[in-house]
Amino acid sequence: MSARKKTLLKVIVLGDLGVGKTSLMQQFVNKKFSHQYKATIGADFLTKDLTIDNKTVSLQIWDTAGQERFQSLGVAFYRGADCCVLCYDVTNEKSLNNLSSWKDEFLVQSNVSNPQDFPFIIIGNKIDVDESKKIPSLQKKLLNITNNQLGGLNYPLFETSAKDSINVETAFENVARMALQQEELNGASRNDMNDDYHDAINIHLENDNSGCAC
Amino acid sequence: MISDDKPLGRPPMLQSKKSTHSFLSSTAGLNPASFLGTDATTAVTLASSDQAEIAIFEEGLGLAKTTLSRSSRSVSPQPSFMVLPPQLALDPLPFVELLHDFVNTSIAKTDDTYKGSKPFNILTETEEDIDESYLEEKVHISKKGEGFTAKLKQFFILSSAGKPIYSMNGDDDVLLGYSGLITTIVASFEDGTDLLFRSISQNGFRMVVMNKSPLILVAISRVSYELMLDLKLLESQLSSVYNYLLAVLSAPVITKSFHNRMNYDLRRVLSAQDLKTLDILTSMLTFGFSDTTDDENKSYTVDPSMFISSLLDDAVQCARLSSTLRAKLDDIFVSCKRLKVNLPQSEATPFLQGKLYTLETTKLLASDLLFAFLIYDNKIVSHLHPKTHCLENKDISTLLLMLSQLSPAGESKNVQEEPDLWFPICLARFNDSGFLHCYVRHLHLPNLSRPLTLLLLSGNKNSFFEMKQSANYIFAKICKSKTLSSSLPEELAQGYLPLTSVLKTPQVKHFIYKRRKANQYIMDPLTFSKDTFENIVDSMFILYLYTALSSSKSEEVRVGASMKKLTYTRWHLKEGFTGFLLADEKYELYCLCKGFVTSLVLIEQSLRIVNWCENYRKRLFIGPGVQF
Ligand SMILES: Nc1nc2c(ncn2[C@@H]2O[C@H](COP(=O)(O)OP(=O)(O)OP(=O)(O)O)[C@@H](O)[C@H]2O)c(=O)[nH]1
Ligand SMILES: [Mg+2]
């Protein structure tokens, strides 16, 4: 009876400026990479169809700007997301430390009903760069962040390179799978819709004048 | 003397600029190509939308218009080219003389540059020819991604999260980007303020938004005649779309669906039929036709009445019927409401009568019946409603839309064989939080091409059998009455005769007459008998002329105690047209004449129409209907 073909999934990508969010999108959606840096203004919307466990899904990816002045773009960006991707740059320690404030920002703005179970995924980008440029003792710091911080960021983590197309596909397949789960969870939790058709309207013909102005 | 044979004047409608803006691009400063394919669609911040004029609602204050720059207005107001000399409006001249002066002054004021030899595109006010491929490209609904931006009209229903629920055109790939973009624009304006985003207008482009959180409804138009009017027309269209959505879902279902999960995909609860009905609605509302293609045959229904209804503030159409017949039908409704039937022994209940307990052995059959309609050809023949409640026209239109989408009436001449239909419907203006239950049955009368349709709305979902019995009673009464069974089909069939020939007003090619208080209208029947393509263009042409007429600047004159509104317009399209609008607090008359008629003829004939309609208003309009 339903006219629905594909499941639509809204995915938000967050992270500091320059960590490579747009590059990851371009690699994932268009298989392109550019060395030139063009800061995102506001947000970009990209679409990609994927097949997950024999199910076609359409990812509506909201690639947001890392620049601070766009961070007040408001609830529209966060509202009703099915999955949130938190990105950092493996050569930029500050971007790693900011992950938890991106998460907090998301939870505050999106007002999701189940913050504990909401699917987040972490992507560490630019692993193609020279070992020397990477954050010193990255693994240890990662462990710290995922386990010890208030609230914790105990989420699946993928290390990627948008430049060399390493792990990008895998990461987003996981994003899609988690988003799909979230969407189905919500969709399934209320199958009693039919009950609403049985609500009778209470109409008092004798003494009720509120119904209309005639 | 009246000099009406002056060279052709240039109609004001032709003066608006050529619109070359593609969908949204001019507003957002974006490359339209970026909407296609998988290129990113960029959300705009306030600073980059500096060209457009944007209207927002200020809560409690009605409309506040914020012009972000000194850009040109989207729709230049129709220049007044028919101003009465001030002393005329004051002099207590007889009305007819006053009209003559008005028309003559108007004619004198028209400027005479445009000869109308080139084809004129009524959709864009350009000289681009409208042919079948043009309609295919710009007008017909298409669910393909490619060609999406070429469409002149768009409707969207989105969730506040930016997920598409319905779109008139386009496929998911295109829509995902647009949906995000639109929600972002709307939310960026509204966040942190008490303002509601209302519209963006630019030369040849308008986007109107209705924010019904958790839904956002959007109409985008580049159709010339829709841009002649203020925002009201597109807003009325959006509320029709919303009203339909509520009719199938009701407000609580929508709210509950999104409760605690803004990511909900509302398409889960909409059926394919619902989406198809939305296509029909949006196309009818804009272009006056809809695609009724089935599996085998390509076909279109041409009917401008839905557009005209929203042009006339949701006025509904009534069927012409002599007051004796209408009274008879009304009586049947009322008697049905009073009809008592015997209760089965087991259900008999004791009640106190005086000092004695008596056994109640009868009950009112139609105690749950709230509203009843007899409908012929989408026009109301008779209507029953409770004393304390009546339905708003928006709800009645939604009901008629639903009706038109139900399985077509069977051809059976046998009353018993007509199927019963029973479905829940939420009439949102009446009560948006619950469902009424609607019983429908058709009655085929001899010599009539269409059936008479009976609608019974009940507040009780368990009253199917009572409604069915009531319908049996009503149809039996109609068929048994000698007057009704002979005169009803005859009079209904007469509804197809052109009124202009009945009234002997040969110069008037078509007219619409609306009674303001009842908000009902009648119009000269329109018959479209050429091939589909021509019919569609003809229908749109009528929409164009009537919209242009009602948006042209009018003059107000006082005649005795009443203020009359007058508008006179000439179009130098095809063989030339004259439009005349005459309105006061009681009525509105819109009439279209072919060619440029003399003021003598124009005034004589339009006054004849007004007088006739007022004299026969009881047979032309049903008013509030019959009460119980
Ligand atoms: N070496 C290397 N460079 C990368 C990689 N991904 C992105 N870059 C570079 O990093 C810079 C920033 O990339 P963007 O994708 O624009 O960053 P962003 O996160 O979208 O930035 P904002 O839009 O400002 O938030 C660009 O110069 C990219 O070429 C990567 O995997 N490896
Ligand atoms: Mg970016």
Side-chain angles (χ1 to χ4, degrees), chain A residues 18-23 33-35 37 40 66 125-126 128 162-163:
Chain A
V19 299
K21 298 180 294 296
T22 304
S23 307
F33 178 79
S34 152
H35 279 285
Y37 173 46
T40 302
N125 188 36
K126 308 196 187 176
D128 56 280
K163 177 168 166 279

Side-chain angles (χ1 to χ4, degrees), chain B residues 34-84:
Chain B
S34 71
F35 289 108
L36 293 167
T38 50
D39 281 349
T41 309
T42 309
V44 214
T45 53
L46 257 177
S48 55
S49 56
D50 56 4
Q51 287 279 308
E53 181 180 287
I54 292 167
I56 39 190
F57 284 115
E58 211 150 2
E59 218 152 81
L61 291 174
L63 171 70
K65 202 159 225 181
T66 314
T67 308
L68 294 178
S69 76
R70 300 152 307 267
S71 64
S72 58
R73 282 195 9 112
S74 58
V75 189
S76 45
Q78 301 299 319
S80 156
F81 61 115
M82 52 198 102
V83 185
L84 275 180

Side-chain angles (χ1 to χ4, degrees), chain A residues 140-154:
Chain A
K140 213 169 124 212
K141 282 171 184 156
L142 266 177
L143 267 178
N144 258 341
I145 282 174
T146 48
N147 294 327
N148 292 347
Q149 257 183 22
L150 201 69
L153 289 174
N154 196 1

Side-chain angles (χ1 to χ4, degrees), chain B residues 467-505:
Chain B
M467 293 303 117
K468 188 183 162 78
Q469 269 179 279
S470 303
N472 288 344
Y473 170 82
I474 291 166
F475 281 168
K477 277 271 187 189
I478 292 175
C479 297
K480 266 186 218 142
S481 153
K482 279 221 170 63
T483 344
L484 280 176
S485 55
S486 66
S487 307
L488 190 58
E490 197 179 310
E491 287 201 24
L492 288 176
Q494 273 173 9
Y496 293 107
L497 294 180
L499 284 172
T500 44
S501 67
V502 175
L503 285 169
K504 305 206 173 50
T505 52

Side-chain angles (χ1 to χ4, degrees), chain B residues 340 348-362:
Chain B
K340 288 199 167 181
T349 46
F351 77 111
L352 197 62
Q353 193 181 49
K355 284 200 168 109
L356 283 170
Y357 270 101
T358 322
L359 211 54
E360 172 78 86
T361 52
T362 60

